[in-house]
Amino acid sequence: MKILVTGGMGYIGSHTCVELLNDGYEIVVIDDFSNSKPEVEDKIKTITGKDFKFYEGDIKNRKLLNKIFEENKIDAVMHFAGYKAVGESVKKPLMYYDNNLNTTLTLLDVMKEHGCNKFIFSSSATVYGKPHTLPILEDFPLSTTNPYGTTKLMIEMILKDLFIADNDLNITILRYFNPIGAHESGLIGENPNDIPNNLMPYIVKVATGEYECLSVFGNDYDTHDGTGVRDYIHVVDLAKGHIKALENMNGLKYYNLGTGNGFSVLDLVNTFEKVNNVKVNYKIAPRREGDIDACYADASLAKKELGWETTKTIEDMCKDAYNFVIKNK
Ligand code: NAD
Ligand code: UFG
């Protein structure tokens, strides 16, 4: 079976390429390196000992996409490509709507032309907005608070309409919670060039001495220690969820991919310090606008229907995130 992986040089896509290759799938990858580096291609090949075809370019380029589908018999598409920084999306909404929506529209259209009917989409827990109760189930009401989140919700709506029009399609929408960690080899992981928005990449940069101090955004939330609680999931567990989704496609499906456990900012800082034997300096800062107290998944549907559950601990996530950055400094 041959899978087209869009955005396969990025953080989650690269880990999924590894799992696909390890499980014997053939893959074809497209990426424009807008948020990744060319060396990832070789790293995936080193980890797996397997080869694959790579196309550099923009998914909005219909000619290139047609060429890919003509040169390869693609059985299914995993669509990771897109922009993902919440803050940037508020400042540059058109850039986000253009990239996230137009890549998806072009891709779906070219898939149809070539008779490819399996599509797995990277959505996000951000589509649940501010949940009224926890844990979050797939049928909770949906809303968004920023343009990035709105692109995810709009794509979900487009996919629903598309499925209504064409029941032969198999579409699986995966709503990720908070992916962190890295491959245990330390060859691939997440190490943003810009100042990170997300907690784990920031913790790592404080631990390595690149930044002086982590700002903990608020300690007066309604949580066990007052700091924000999230459902952190190891990126390798997340990648494995995509294989299970691929093996169990059946119509239009939605799944939460999370652990079902909530950890606070200070839980993560303390665990990181303990397992890596390093100091993470932090100070309490005001709340970040738009943040919610707590967010964690009910992931029982993915367990029941896909046979998927996470195996990595919060300690594994902290260890692997640090190992990657130390090895790639
Ligand atoms: P990433 O930025 O590391 O990877 C995305 C990849 O897509 C990058 O390699 C980038 O170069 C490529 N890309 C972007 N636009 C492209 C285009 N027009 N043509 C070709 N390639 C393009 O992001 P990630 O963390 O791996 O996230 C993957 C997907 O999962 C994204 O859709 C993201 O919105 C979603 N997601 C991520 C998180 C998270 O916290 N990382 C959470 C929920 C959902
Ligand atoms: N936090 C800090 N200091 C920082 C960064 C974050 O205290 O420097 C706190 C936040 O206030 C929050 C927690 O750490 O309580 C997690 O914040 P992240 O920015 O790492 O993650 P979010 O849950 O805010 O959002 C992320 C992605 C979204 C995605 C969501 C669910 O940025 O796009 O996870 O998948 F929708």
Side-chain angles (χ1 to χ4, degrees):
M1 201 174 181
K2 202 174 263 188
I3 319 299
L4 174 64
V5 183
T6 78
M9 295 294 118
Y11 175 47
I12 304 168
S14 59
H15 288 81
T16 307
C17 287
V18 167
E19 297 306 319
L20 283 165
L21 291 167
N22 281 344
D23 280 1
Y25 290 97
E26 279 185 78
I27 62 169
V28 174
V29 177
I30 175 170
D31 204 299
D32 65 358
F33 298 125
S34 52
N35 196 36
S36 53
K37 299 202 174 74
E39 63 247 32
V40 174
E41 184 182 348
D42 281 341
K43 291 183 171 174
I44 295 170
K45 291 177 181 171
T46 304
I47 294 170
T48 60
K50 302 218 171 120
D51 204 4
F52 60 88
K53 233 189 220 182
F54 175 72
Y55 294 83
E56 180 177 351
D58 187 336
I59 297 153
K60 297 193 290 304
N61 179 346
R62 176 182 288 266
K63 224 168 125 192
L64 175 62
L65 271 192
N66 266 316
K67 181 174 140 81
I68 294 174
F69 277 83
E70 272 154 24
E71 290 179 356
N72 306 278
K73 167 86 194 72
I74 303 291
D75 298 294
V77 175
M78 290 189 184
H79 182 38
F80 295 95
Y83 296 153
K84 64 166 181 176
V86 171
E88 187 182 48
S89 80
V90 175
K91 291 194 186 104
K92 300 176 182 171
L94 290 184
M95 189 173 112
Y96 272 69
Y97 286 113
D98 176 39
N99 196 46
N100 292 4
L101 293 177
N102 286 328
T103 48
T104 311
L105 292 174
T106 311
L107 185 57
L108 290 166
D109 205 32
V110 173
M111 280 176 65
K112 188 176 163 63
E113 266 175 52
H114 293 270
C116 178
N117 72 347
K118 293 192 171 75
F119 188 74
I120 296 180
F121 176 62
S122 302
S123 190
S124 166
T126 194
V127 299
Y128 295 114
K130 190 172 168 27
H132 291 297
T133 56
L134 291 165
I136 297 173
L137 281 156
E138 283 83 353
D139 61 2
F140 272 26
L142 307 178
S143 67
T144 61
T145 53
N146 56 72
Y148 163 71
T150 308
T151 67
K152 291 291 169 193
L153 188 51
M154 287 170 88
I155 294 167
E156 288 204 5
M157 290 161 80
I158 290 166
L159 291 171
K160 190 172 163 195
D161 286 340
L162 191 64
F163 181 73
I164 291 168
D166 181 357
N167 276 195
D168 286 340
L169 285 169
N170 292 295
I171 298 173
T172 302
I173 293 173
L174 300 177
R175 294 179 180 146
Y176 311 158
F177 280 68
N178 289 54
I180 58 171
H183 191 264
E184 61 180 5
S185 63
L187 287 174
I188 53 172
E190 187 180 37
N191 191 10
N193 290 331
D194 302 333
I195 299 171
N197 297 300
N198 298 118
L199 180 58
M200 181 55 101
Y202 209 103
I203 289 180
V204 173
K205 282 184 189 282
V206 175
T208 57
E210 199 176 324
Y211 295 147
E212 230 168 73
C213 183
L214 168 77
S215 292
V216 174
F217 298 142
N219 66 348
D220 57 353
Y221 283 109
D222 185 15
T223 63
H224 63 274
D225 62 14
T227 65
V229 163
R230 296 291 182 275
D231 186 340
Y232 297 98
I233 172 172
H234 196 293
V235 66
V236 171
D237 275 334
L238 183 64
K240 288 183 172 159
H242 290 73
I243 316 286
K244 291 289 188 188
L246 180 66
E247 289 168 350
N248 292 282
M249 296 197 81
N250 181 20
L252 173 63
K253 297 281 184 174
Y254 302 82
Y255 297 105
N256 286 339
L257 295 187
T259 66
N261 302 314
F263 288 94
S264 72
V265 176
L266 292 182
D267 290 336
L268 201 64
V269 169
N270 292 335
T271 309
F272 191 96
E273 288 186 325
K274 200 166 109 206
V275 300
N276 294 313
N277 200 18
V278 283
K279 182 97 195 91
V280 178
N281 297 319
Y282 70 84
K283 62 168 194 262
I284 304 299
R287 288 183 176 204
R288 182 172 67 178
E289 207 188 315
D291 273 354
I292 55 178
D293 302 59
C295 169
Y296 51 89
D298 181 322
S300 54
L301 188 65
K303 184 174 177 188
K304 186 167 151 238
E305 293 191 1
L306 305 179
W308 171 86
E309 61 186 323
T310 58
T311 60
K312 305 256 188 196
T313 63
I314 197 82
E315 284 82 9
D316 298 329
M317 302 179 210
C318 291
K319 202 157 47 77
D320 292 339
Y322 192 51
N323 177 47
F324 168 70
V325 172
I326 292 295
K327 284 207 168 130
N328 293 276
K329 253 180 121 175

